[in-house]
Amino acid sequence: MKHFLKLLDVTTEEIYELLDLAAVMKQYVKEGKEHHFLKGKTLAMIFEKNSTRTRISFETGMYQLGGHALFISAKDSQIGRGEPTQDTARVMSRMLDGIMIRTFEQSEVEDLAKYGSIPVINGLTDFSHPCQVMADLMTIREHKGKLEGLTMCYIGDGNNMANSLIVGGLKVGMHVHVACPEGYHPDPSVMAFAAQYPDHFILTDKPMEAAKDADVVITDCWTSMGQEDEKKAREAAFAGYQVNKELMAVAKPDAMVQHCLPAYREQEITTEVFEEHADEIFDEAENRLHAQKAVLVKLLG
Ligand code: CP
Ligand code: NVA
């Protein structure tokens, strides 16, 4: 594994290896044990979109590993003035040990990897959010003791989270049941991947059908970053796609809830369900730190 660009590129063995390493990372933090596996290493964090968790977890993670992270806002750097990705990739490769990037196009992340010579990590694109899904899988495994055989249900927009959850979930042996309205389906490349798992994958427009007997119910915002102009149309399209008490009633009685955050209460999830499952949701947020440290150690170590 040279880069971490999307879960379609990562094998089942690599996902489990990263999850095991993430658990070790978490243990080090809990025990207050020094673990400077990336002493002297530097990571650029390029942001073309907002972030709370991704920035905090990568910056803290690099510090805890004995390295250093540089926050680079696209708009304040030459990236925002149109310097070609090929050149940014080559400049950064001369000075740094790795790049994390949050941007719009998946192709920009792939180009950084192609033209640079250092590992590139996808911190979210319109297409995927692989680091988040590693944290989700880690959290589900902590709470349920396993992943294989469990049913993951995703309700809402067929967006970056849906794309990564489908691929990640199927790769680790979960059943993945997705409910999206017409016109908001997951990416065709993800649907083609899921078609290889006819016994494990369901795509429906009926949330209750997707949530039936689920072990974990997951949702995400209806309007992702960059889609603000579509907000009104999206609110109408997703009106019936809320994670609420009625939906949770058809899931397993001990079903957990995951949300990558930020959450929009009374839209994709009710305050009631969110607060009832807040411990699981904030475990998921914390696990961003541990899961990404595993990715960093694997790629930069
Ligand atoms: N879940 C997530 O990626 O959060 P941020 O947008 O705050 O980084
Ligand atoms: N789908 C959301 C995830 C935010 C972490 C977005 O892309 O804005």
Side-chain angles (χ1 to χ4, degrees):
M1 202 170 88
K2 189 165 186 306
H3 304 285
F4 196 69
L5 308 180
K6 56 186 182 301
L7 292 179
L8 283 168
D9 303 336
V10 185
T11 66
T12 298
E13 293 68 34
E14 285 167 336
I15 293 175
Y16 275 108
E17 189 191 331
L18 287 169
L19 291 174
D20 290 344
L21 187 54
V24 173
M25 293 296 146
K26 189 164 184 170
Q27 199 54 35
Y28 283 135
V29 173
K30 301 292 166 201
E31 289 169 5
K33 200 163 138 193
E34 190 179 285
H35 49 290
H36 287 174
F37 300 132
L38 298 184
K39 196 169 190 309
K41 303 258 170 146
T42 49
L43 176 82
M45 308 185 298
I46 305 171
F47 283 95
E48 297 199 31
K49 289 176 175 171
N50 292 43
S51 169
T52 296
R53 282 145 288 270
T54 303
R55 178 182 177 177
I56 294 173
S57 51
F58 270 103
E59 193 161 334
T60 304
M62 279 303 288
Y63 177 78
Q64 291 179 353
L65 290 166
H68 180 73
L70 298 84
F71 174 76
I72 298 167
S73 151
K75 76 173 176 351
D76 299 325
S77 64
Q78 300 292 2
I79 297 166
R81 294 183 59 248
E83 183 163 16
T85 304
Q86 293 94 311
D87 295 357
T88 304
R90 285 178 287 183
V91 170
M92 289 190 169
S93 297
R94 296 291 182 109
M95 289 185 254
L96 300 164
D97 300 290
I99 304 170
M100 189 286 300
I101 178 166
R102 164 168 289 196
T103 188
F104 294 87
E105 300 288 333
Q106 178 73 21
S107 60
E108 194 179 336
V109 176
E110 308 272 346
D111 279 352
L112 266 184
K114 181 173 164 193
Y115 295 106
S117 55
I118 54 176
V120 175
I121 299 170
N122 179 352
L124 180 148
T125 61
D126 293 345
F127 172 69
S128 63
H129 199 0
C131 291
Q132 178 68 54
V133 169
M134 291 307 296
D136 293 22
L137 295 176
M138 179 178 182
T139 313
I140 298 164
R141 189 157 79 148
E142 282 176 351
H143 281 261
K144 299 286 181 194
K146 62 170 186 178
L147 292 170
E148 207 176 337
L150 295 180
T151 299
M152 168 202 287
C153 147
Y154 176 86
I155 306 287
D157 189 16
N159 61 12
N160 42 17
M161 278 303 297
N163 289 334
S164 297
L165 284 165
I166 292 167
V167 176
L170 291 174
K171 284 199 174 185
V172 298
M174 298 176 86
H175 296 265
V176 181
H177 298 174
V178 176
C180 301
E182 199 54 48
Y184 296 95
H185 283 184
D187 191 85
S189 64
V190 170
M191 291 305 295
F193 172 81
Q196 300 170 57
Y197 299 80
D199 301 336
H200 281 67
F201 181 71
I202 296 173
L203 174 68
T204 168
D205 61 359
K206 297 179 184 63
M208 290 293 181
E209 191 181 310
K212 195 173 174 323
D213 297 327
D215 295 285
V216 48
V217 176
I218 311 182
T219 188
D220 184 19
C221 62
W222 292 341
T223 303
S224 286
M225 291 181 277
Q227 298 173 334
E228 289 75 10
D229 292 351
E230 303 170 21
K231 193 165 178 284
K232 277 271 156 298
R234 287 176 163 273
E235 278 173 14
F238 293 112
Y241 291 77
Q242 186 185 61
V243 174
N244 53 31
K245 205 170 65 186
E246 291 70 36
L247 185 103
M248 291 305 296
V250 305
K252 292 231 178 92
D254 63 347
M256 58 187 290
V257 172
Q258 296 282 266
H259 192 310
C260 66
L261 304 174
Y264 297 85
R265 269 91 162 166
E266 310 313 329
Q267 291 206 14
E268 76 272 7
I269 190 165
T270 59
T271 304
E272 186 183 21
V273 171
F274 184 94
E275 291 304 333
E276 197 177 317
H277 294 273
D279 286 346
E280 297 150 13
I281 293 169
F282 291 103
D283 280 350
E284 175 189 12
E286 177 192 329
N287 283 339
R288 292 294 302 279
L289 173 67
H290 312 301
Q292 284 157 204
K293 281 167 71 183
V295 174
L296 287 166
V297 168
K298 175 98 175 133
L299 293 180
L300 273 61

